[in-house]
Amino acid sequence: METERKDVQPTEAQKKAQRRRSIALALCLVAFVVIFYVATLVKFGPAVMDRAL
Amino acid sequence: MALVHNIENGEARISEAMPGDYFALLKPRVMSLVVFTAFVGMILAPGGINPLIAAIAILAIAVGAGASGALNMWYDADIDAVMTRTAKRPIPSGRVTRGEALAFGLTLSVLSVLTLGTLTNWIAGGLLAFTIFFYAVIYTMWLKRSTPQNIVIGGAAGAFPPMIGWAAASGTISLESVVLFLIIFLWTPPHFWALALFKLRDYDMANVPMLPNVAGERHTKLQILAYSLVLAVVAAAPWPMGLAGPVYGLIAIGLGANFVRHAISVWRMEDGDATMVPAKKLFRFSLYYLATLFAVLLGERLFEIAHSAQVA
């Protein structure tokens, strides 16, 4: 016989914490991408576009 | 099914940790000192560095230092729980698990080293990696719980940032950057032993072998005085070496004399003195001392740069 499935319901505090963590993680990822974008431009300058097709 | 099983065992857990709890794992107060000293090392170093790359390098050094703090909290959660100073940290207070702190620390360690190495040079990247390893493994896992000299050798980890900053800007390790390292290295023992004197019972309860609770108060006070004397001399060295000018030299000598004066007061303090006023004064002064030395080094160099730009 199949046992009844019990889903875990997060509390309001847990949901809020999860949302805040997700936002923080997203901001960190965006910052990381921007940092490497800027650093690439600074290090290579316009030469970054200088690629043979 | 596994989740239901875990709930029955009382093991299921949904995190309530806020981003701020993860930020606390990075030991932001230590990080601020790291940022400042690394920046000074970078400014003093010969050879220019692009300001944007410099800013990113400082961020990478800060994150690397923070990552080693997270690894330290992961390993030391048991002793943090019994010391009043550290009981409210994210792991002992139950907001972050040890596993989460370990994953966080390792991820940031790898990212910070790779970022610094690829954007500046691998001497700087290698130094940052070594610093994280030194603090997390040599100090936290090995020395902290096994020898009362823990702070002397562990202090090296906190002394590396100006060297990393210097290496990031110049691509080298030179005698000047070693002197910057030595200033923080020699400053750490008297700073922490002054703290350990008035937090003696805390370290005792946590079974951490700090010098006062292993070798006794008298011996600790003598060591504080010895380190202070050597520190006062070494801290003045950047002047004759040409790394700093007379303004720094005179301030370093004045502050060094004051540091030694505080250390003498601690040395004269009665054993078993409950208030420990001289030790508390030395601890507070030591913070001001280091910050001022590096601020003057920075100020002098910035003035020099502004002056030469004006002349040109």
Side-chain angles (χ1 to χ4, degrees):
Chain A
M1 201 177 90
E2 212 173 289
T3 50
E4 194 191 336
R5 181 187 159 89
K6 280 196 259 175
D7 282 339
V8 176
Q9 289 300 323
T11 64
E12 275 310 307
Q14 288 165 343
K15 279 187 196 165
K16 188 180 164 195
Q18 193 173 39
R19 201 162 45 240
R20 290 269 181 90
R21 290 199 305 270
S22 302
I23 292 170
L25 196 56
L27 289 175
C28 287
L29 278 171
V30 169
F32 195 64
V33 171
V34 170
I35 281 171
F36 267 84
Y37 179 74
V38 171
T40 308
L41 287 184
V42 170
K43 283 198 89 76
F44 294 100
V48 75
M49 303 299 287
D50 194 10
R51 291 277 189 277
L53 290 171
Chain B
M1 288 303 288
L3 194 56
V4 175
H5 178 74
N6 282 345
I7 290 170
E8 282 161 0
N9 285 341
E11 290 168 8
R13 176 185 167 278
I14 300 176
S15 176
E16 287 186 17
M18 288 291 184
D21 294 321
Y22 282 90
F23 187 64
L25 285 176
L26 302 177
K27 298 193 177 180
R29 282 180 64 187
V30 177
M31 222 157 72
S32 61
L33 187 69
V34 167
V35 166
F36 181 52
T37 56
F39 179 65
V40 174
M42 205 176 261
I43 293 285
L44 291 178
I49 180 169
N50 180 287
L52 275 171
I53 298 293
I56 298 168
I58 294 283
L59 182 68
I61 296 169
V63 171
S68 65
L71 293 174
N72 168 272
M73 288 201 209
W74 156 70
Y75 194 81
D76 275 351
D78 57 335
I79 51 179
D80 281 353
V82 292
M83 304 212 307
T84 53
R85 189 170 65 89
T86 51
K88 285 181 182 162
R89 283 178 175 177
I91 302 176
S93 62
R95 298 192 302 278
V96 176
T97 65
R98 288 188 71 189
E100 286 162 352
L102 175 64
F104 186 62
L106 287 177
T107 308
L108 291 187
S109 299
V110 172
L111 284 178
S112 61
V113 169
L114 288 180
T115 304
L116 188 66
T118 47
L119 294 187
T120 60
N121 57 72
W122 283 103
I123 291 181
L127 271 176
L128 181 62
F130 181 70
T131 305
I132 297 170
F133 171 78
F134 200 88
Y135 188 68
V137 178
I138 307 280
Y139 171 67
T140 304
M141 295 186 189
W142 179 29
L143 295 172
K144 185 172 176 179
R145 299 179 194 225
S146 62
T147 162
Q149 292 297 318
N150 48 17
I151 220 70
V152 177
I153 305 145
F160 277 119
M163 261 179 112
I164 305 174
W166 182 286
S170 67
T172 59
I173 296 170
S174 64
L175 187 61
E176 290 95 331
S177 69
V178 173
V179 168
L180 295 178
F181 165 89
L182 277 178
I183 292 173
I184 305 178
F185 179 71
L186 292 167
W187 166 88
T188 311
H191 169 76
F192 272 105
W193 285 333
L195 174 77
L197 276 175
F198 60 86
K199 290 276 183 187
L200 193 64
R201 290 186 58 189
D202 257 19
Y203 287 105
D204 234 1
M205 273 162 58
N207 281 324
V208 175
M210 288 297 270
L211 199 60
N213 56 9
V214 174
E217 282 188 33
R218 183 94 324 251
H219 184 72
T220 307
K221 291 168 187 169
L222 197 65
Q223 291 258 9
I224 287 177
L225 184 58
Y227 270 93
S228 304
L229 285 167
V230 182
L231 171 65
V233 174
V234 172
W239 182 23
M241 284 173 74
L243 182 63
V247 175
Y248 170 84
L250 295 173
I251 290 174
I253 291 168
L255 287 177
N258 228 338
F259 200 111
V260 172
R261 187 178 62 81
H262 278 290
I264 291 173
S265 301
V266 171
W267 182 57
R268 282 186 178 159
M269 192 169 70
E270 290 280 321
D271 284 356
D273 183 330
T275 55
M276 295 268 180
V277 174
K280 287 175 185 169
K281 276 188 176 169
L282 173 63
F283 179 73
R284 272 198 300 272
F285 179 77
S286 65
L287 284 166
Y288 163 78
Y289 173 83
L290 193 69
T292 309
L293 283 187
F294 275 80
V296 176
L297 277 173
L298 178 67
E300 247 193 7
R301 181 51 60 95
L302 290 178
F303 180 78
E304 212 174 273
I305 293 170
H307 185 68
S308 57
Q310 234 172 20
V311 171

